[in-house]
């Protein structure tokens, strides 16, 4: 766009990625786990996301590296998610965001156990470069392995929304 240009439909849609108008559809991703996963005691494990609710820019695969969303457009993203654990009254549960397989400072949430299903949630704002990937990890210390849960409204989910360049 140059000084004095009028905003036209063609100019509005000029920024296109893989046939998608960037201004009409900014990058975002929502992935859900519909098959439960066993999380070992005292560890943080990336959560497998076998179902995509939305992924217009193709940053996620349901075949390989299913825990990852890979950035297709650089910028600041609002990222987060929740890990649904089966009910267990011992220990604590946690959710944490990883970028390129490393945890980030301030990107974790821990909750005490209870008699209901534990669903810790975490959110953060991150700058992602093209090729960076994020993961949602779940952790627990019940004394043994504990499964995630997928029942009624309880499910693990990760999301990423592009906010700003």
């Amino acid at each position: 766009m140059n000084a004095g240009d009028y905003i036209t439909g063609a100019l509005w849609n000029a920024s296109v990625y893989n046939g998608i108008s960037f201004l009409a559809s900014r990058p975002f991703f929502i992935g859900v786990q519909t098959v439960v996963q066993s999380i070992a005691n005292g560890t943080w494990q990336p959560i497998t996301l076998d179902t995509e609710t939305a992924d217009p820019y193709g940053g996620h695969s349901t075949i390989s590296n299913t825990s990852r969303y890979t950035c297709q457009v650089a910028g600041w993203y609002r990222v987060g998610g929740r890990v649904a654990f089966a009910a267990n009254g011992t220990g604590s549960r946690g959710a944490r965001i990883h970028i390129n397989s490393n945890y980030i400072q301030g990107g974790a949430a821990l909750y005490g156990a209870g008699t209901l299903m534990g669903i810790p949630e975490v959110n953060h704002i991150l700058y992602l470069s093209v090729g960076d990937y994020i993961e949602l990890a779940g952790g627990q210390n019940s004394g043994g392995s504990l499964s995630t849960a997928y029942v009624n409204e309880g499910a693990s989910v990760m999301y990423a929304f592009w906010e700003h360049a």
Side-chain angles (χ1 to χ4, degrees), residues 44 83 85 92-96 108-111 120-121 137-141:
W44 289 95
V83 181
F85 284 96
S92 59
R93 313 289 171 263
R96 160 168 111 173
L110 300 172
Y111 292 70
E121 183 166 352
Q140 60 87 22
N141 63 356

Side-chain angles (χ1 to χ4, degrees), residues 51-160:
T51 302
E52 297 167 351
T53 302
D55 185 17
Y57 284 72
H60 179 262
S61 171
T62 57
I63 298 168
S64 65
N65 296 319
T66 61
S67 63
R68 297 178 180 181
Y69 173 76
T70 302
C71 178
Q72 305 297 304
V73 178
W76 289 95
Y77 283 77
R78 182 168 36 102
V79 301
R82 57 187 162 272
V83 181
F85 284 96
N88 182 303
T90 305
S92 59
R93 313 289 171 263
R96 160 168 111 173
I97 298 169
H98 291 177
I99 181 169
N100 301 327
S101 295
N102 299 304
Y103 72 87
I104 59 170
Q105 206 64 32
L110 300 172
Y111 292 70
T115 57
L116 298 175
M117 184 172 26
I119 307 178
E121 183 166 352
V122 63
N123 297 284
H124 212 291
I125 303 290
L126 296 174
Y127 185 85
L128 299 176
S129 298
V130 173
D132 283 344
Y133 64 88
I134 57 169
E135 295 175 296
L136 174 68
Q140 60 87 22
N141 63 356
S142 66
S145 292
L146 186 61
S147 292
T148 58
Y150 179 71
V151 59
N152 300 325
E153 70 277 5
S156 298
V157 63
M158 181 176 78
Y159 53 83

